[in-house]
Amino acid sequence: MNDSTRKRLRAGLVLMLALPYAALAAPFAYVPNEKSGTISVIDTASDKLVGEIAAGKRPRGIAIDPAGRRLYISDAASSALLVLDTAGRQPARQAPLGKSPEGVSLSADGRLVAVAVEESNTVTLFDAATLEQLADIKVEGKNPEHAVFSPDGRWLLVSAEDAEQVDVIDVAARRQVGSVAVGLRPRGIGFSADSATAWVACELVNTVYRIDLASRKAVARIPAGKNANGIAMHPDGSKVYVSNGTDGTVMAIDTASNQVSATIAVGKRPWNMALTADGARLYVANGRSNSVSVIDTASNTKLADIAVGELPWGVAIR
């Protein structure tokens, strides 16, 4: 390759990274990089990195609005919820949070944002449009990591690093109304589409718990890999995926049998994950590899490893 060709290729890459994301056709995967202070943007049609967005100093949790126009990100360094537009501009707005905010969840209708805040042992609830704080809800679990809305918007399930239960918040009442006993250190949470069932990965017992929301009881315990943490639910309800941080794998669990049906090797310390809307591909943030692994869910094979920033925390796709 001569110098002229190299220059043309570099110029083409710069142009691609400068394009508004709306000029590209595919949904995008947005990856917060906790150590880099950026959001990596991946075009899911090509599985190529197409941009980076500045996002505070320690971005962690991430959620995206139903229209794909706004990102909601917790920044641990500034103890704030950042709102960014997906065209790549600087944060348009922000709202204060308690110290060490982590997981961010958006209600299915896009109206409410919930943030798990570790040091205050609370879940902070915001109006997504105005960023007005609606409530700061105490939970029993210490150091909450995820607060995830049920699809019907009725409940928030909250996992915490120092807990052996998942706390249940009634969204309308703005308070904790119960808990579900699980294993030590619950992490990722996923729901069935009808909001009747939840799956929770418990890191220190290497187990995924299947929870019946009506009875608030665990009805199945599914052995996973070492340091199970992230959870992603296939949109057709047939499978739930769990990432295993120490093993460097993702497992697919058949929801009909509660059995592991496949194990796929990914990068180092796989963490939080997200599926494309059609469920065809799973994107896995690998915290110690500084990469995102792409899994074909039909064949249960890894298709690619995409380099991103340092210490990727999770993925949001729209």
Side-chain angles (χ1 to χ4, degrees):
M1 185 183 297
N2 59 39
D3 288 343
S4 177
T5 302
R6 287 192 185 95
K7 287 178 181 178
R8 286 197 302 272
L9 287 173
R10 283 197 295 269
L13 177 59
V14 170
L15 177 62
M16 180 182 72
L17 292 174
L19 281 173
Y21 304 139
L24 302 171
F28 299 99
Y30 298 92
V31 182
N33 303 300
E34 185 174 355
K35 195 170 181 180
S36 298
T38 61
I39 307 296
S40 295
V41 185
I42 296 168
D43 179 353
T44 63
S46 63
D47 285 334
K48 301 294 184 184
L49 184 71
V50 296
E52 297 280 345
I53 305 172
K57 293 183 178 179
R58 287 186 62 199
R60 288 169 159 180
I62 187 168
I64 189 166
D65 80 308
R69 295 172 183 165
R70 292 186 301 275
L71 295 169
Y72 296 86
I73 298 153
S74 62
D75 179 30
S78 63
S79 298
L81 176 67
L82 310 181
V83 183
L84 289 73
D85 67 43
T86 53
R89 293 191 291 271
Q90 290 294 318
R93 291 176 295 159
Q94 66 180 55
L97 288 165
K99 290 184 179 179
S100 194
E102 286 223 47
V104 179
S105 178
L106 196 69
S107 60
D109 61 10
R111 294 181 178 179
L112 298 175
V113 180
V115 185
V117 184
E118 286 190 304
E119 291 198 20
S120 58
N121 301 321
T122 61
V123 173
T124 308
L125 197 64
F126 292 95
D127 181 294
T130 65
L131 282 194
E132 176 190 359
Q133 182 177 310
L134 303 176
D136 196 41
I137 305 163
K138 278 283 186 182
V139 291
E140 293 174 1
K142 294 182 179 179
N143 298 321
E145 180 167 332
H146 293 283
V148 181
F149 284 99
S150 58
D152 62 8
R154 185 177 179 186
W155 310 111
L156 276 163
L157 288 192
V158 186
S159 61
E161 290 187 23
D162 298 318
E164 290 184 84
Q165 85 276 349
V166 174
D167 295 327
V168 182
I169 289 174
D170 183 310
V171 175
R174 310 284 200 255
R175 62 184 178 88
Q176 181 176 340
V177 293
S179 62
V180 182
V182 293
L184 187 60
R185 190 170 288 177
R187 293 282 202 181
I189 300 167
F191 283 93
S192 60
D194 62 3
S195 302
T197 306
W199 283 264
V200 179
C202 292
E203 186 174 27
L204 296 188
V205 292
N206 310 320
T207 299
V208 174
Y209 286 73
R210 180 172 181 157
I211 293 172
D212 175 72
L213 267 296
S215 64
R216 294 183 188 164
K217 291 183 178 180
V219 294
R221 295 165 176 80
I222 305 156
K226 193 169 182 180
N227 293 118
N229 45 66
I231 289 284
M233 185 74 199
H234 195 282
D236 71 7
S238 64
K239 289 178 284 188
V240 62
Y241 298 89
V242 56
S243 60
N244 303 302
T246 298
D247 291 348
T249 63
V250 169
M251 288 175 169
I253 297 170
D254 183 284
T255 58
S257 64
N258 293 328
Q259 298 292 319
V260 173
S261 58
T263 301
I264 307 105
V266 289
K268 295 179 181 178
R269 206 205 79 169
W271 203 239
N272 297 301
M273 311 175 286
L275 286 142
T276 52
D278 60 5
R281 292 188 179 187
L282 177 68
Y283 289 74
V284 185
N286 300 309
R288 298 300 180 194
S289 295
N290 299 329
S291 67
V292 169
S293 293
V294 185
I295 293 172
D296 180 291
T297 60
S299 62
N300 292 316
T301 58
K302 185 177 74 170
L303 300 175
D305 287 311
I306 305 165
V308 292
E310 291 186 77
L311 206 61
W313 193 95
V315 186
I317 298 176
R318 191 78 69 202

